[in-house]
Amino acid sequence: MGEEVKEKKPNKYVEGFKGFCRFLYNPDDHTVFGRGGASWAKILVFYFFFYSCLAAFFAVCLIVMLQTLDPDVPTVVGRTNKPMVAIPETAIYKMNFKDADGWEKYKKALNKVQERYTSDEQTGGDGFFQWNMENLNSCHDPSIATQGTNGATAVGCFYFGLNRIYGWNGISDDTKEMTFGCEYVKGKTGSGNLAPSGFVMEVSDVSKAMTSYYPWESLEKNGLQPIAAAHITIDKAAADQMGDDEREIYVECKAYVRDIDSTDKTTWKVLEDSRPASFEIIY
């Protein structure tokens, strides 16, 4: 008897690859992905009209929904919006008298705020907040900020205001008004100097501007929100006597409700649900 011849089994991976290549393009019947030219033409025409109709349907829905929105009145008001003391320019939050680059960024941020509040859009309406000496004291001119390199004093300003919330007014009756106040705090490290030597801080009073401004409805009607300024003057001779552990200086500014024209800060109450702004001074 002759030797038994074993049939060689094809390699399944090779056959699988050949089948895949044949699926990509079949030279026998000239198909790509299993479809001939006529089949591809039909399916492309179908999906062209299908997605065109889908896009048109979405566009119509979007236009209809946008017609239900008022450009001045938000649909949802008061669920999550809370009053917050802040300023959009983040570089203002750190007043660095030691670093020239940091000081330059800080000065540019002060100028940007001034540019926003002195634009044509902001100065044209009744009741709009006015950038002037009355509302900001000496800080109405950002150029007063100086590191005091060749002088006896160093000067800086912090700007801050409340965020805009449609229809919101922080006062409950005509005998009250809102204002701002700042104080030295322990800050994020817990070791901030609460009475830094040579430092004098004065906060501008914008209570009258805030009373005439709120409740806010729109930028077109009310303009930008009132902001206050904390004017920091540093007697360098006194400040230089502070030790290294006394040079961590943090300032916290809050919104308050008080009796009209009240200067007794012990009677001021922090604006309900409001969040303060925290600033840092590096000297």
Side-chain angles (χ1 to χ4, degrees):
M1 296 179 61
E3 293 184 4
E4 184 178 354
V5 179
K6 293 183 179 180
E7 183 179 354
K8 187 176 181 180
K9 294 182 179 180
N11 187 300
K12 61 179 180 179
Y13 297 107
V14 174
E15 293 300 317
F17 180 73
K18 289 181 178 180
F20 176 72
C21 292
R22 194 172 186 83
F23 169 71
L24 293 179
Y25 177 70
N26 190 330
D28 296 332
D29 45 13
H30 305 289
T31 58
V32 177
F33 293 113
R35 292 182 178 276
S39 178
W40 276 114
K42 292 177 182 178
I43 198 170
L44 288 175
V45 170
F46 168 79
Y47 277 109
F48 172 79
F49 285 104
F50 174 77
Y51 284 112
S52 296
C53 293
L54 195 63
F57 176 74
F58 176 77
V60 170
C61 289
L62 188 62
I63 292 172
V64 171
M65 286 188 290
L66 289 176
Q67 296 305 311
T68 66
L69 300 179
D70 191 306
D72 296 322
V73 181
T75 304
V76 179
V77 180
R79 288 186 179 180
T80 59
N81 290 342
K82 301 294 182 183
M84 179 176 63
V85 182
I87 195 72
E89 295 296 330
T90 57
I92 290 179
Y93 285 91
K94 180 179 291 187
M95 190 186 297
N96 193 338
F97 289 94
K98 287 185 175 181
D99 178 48
D101 291 337
W103 185 261
E104 187 63 27
K105 291 179 181 178
Y106 162 78
K107 288 292 296 286
K108 287 182 178 179
L110 294 181
N111 291 327
K112 284 183 179 180
V113 175
Q114 183 191 35
E115 289 172 4
R116 290 186 65 198
Y117 276 86
T118 55
S119 64
D120 293 339
E121 294 80 3
Q122 180 62 19
T123 57
D126 293 335
F128 279 31
F129 177 76
Q130 299 300 310
W131 185 279
N132 54 30
M133 183 77 174
E134 180 183 356
N135 287 322
L136 298 168
N137 296 339
S138 298
C139 289
H140 79 285
D141 181 8
S143 65
I144 68 168
T146 174
Q147 289 178 285
T149 306
N150 299 315
T153 60
V155 178
C157 294
F158 290 127
Y159 297 136
F160 45 87
L162 287 171
N163 54 323
R164 297 187 298 271
I165 305 174
Y166 178 80
W168 176 86
N169 194 345
I171 55 177
S172 56
D173 58 68
D174 294 338
T175 65
K176 304 290 184 182
E177 64 184 3
M178 289 184 291
T179 190
F180 294 101
C182 300
E183 60 183 351
Y184 297 108
V185 295
K186 291 185 177 296
K188 59 187 178 183
T189 64
S191 57
N193 191 340
L194 301 182
S197 299
F199 280 64
V200 176
M201 177 167 59
E202 298 176 346
V203 180
S204 65
D205 186 358
V206 290
S207 55
K208 299 299 183 287
M210 295 177 77
T211 299
S212 62
Y213 181 82
Y214 293 103
W216 181 79
E217 293 185 18
S218 69
L219 286 173
E220 182 179 358
K221 183 176 181 179
N222 307 100
L224 295 170
Q225 65 270 45
I227 61 172
H231 180 263
I232 311 289
T233 304
I234 304 172
D235 182 339
K236 294 178 62 181
D240 289 343
Q241 300 302 313
M242 293 190 298
D244 292 339
D245 59 341
E246 298 177 296
R247 294 180 180 245
E248 287 188 39
I249 303 168
Y250 301 97
V251 175
E252 187 173 80
C253 298
K254 299 178 181 179
Y256 292 91
V257 176
R258 68 181 186 186
D259 293 331
I260 293 178
D261 294 330
S262 171
T263 57
D264 183 4
K265 293 185 178 181
T266 61
T267 64
W268 295 10
K269 294 183 178 179
V270 177
L271 181 64
E272 186 178 2
D273 294 328
S274 64
R275 287 181 289 175
S278 298
F279 301 94
E280 181 179 1
I281 301 175
I282 301 176
Y283 181 79

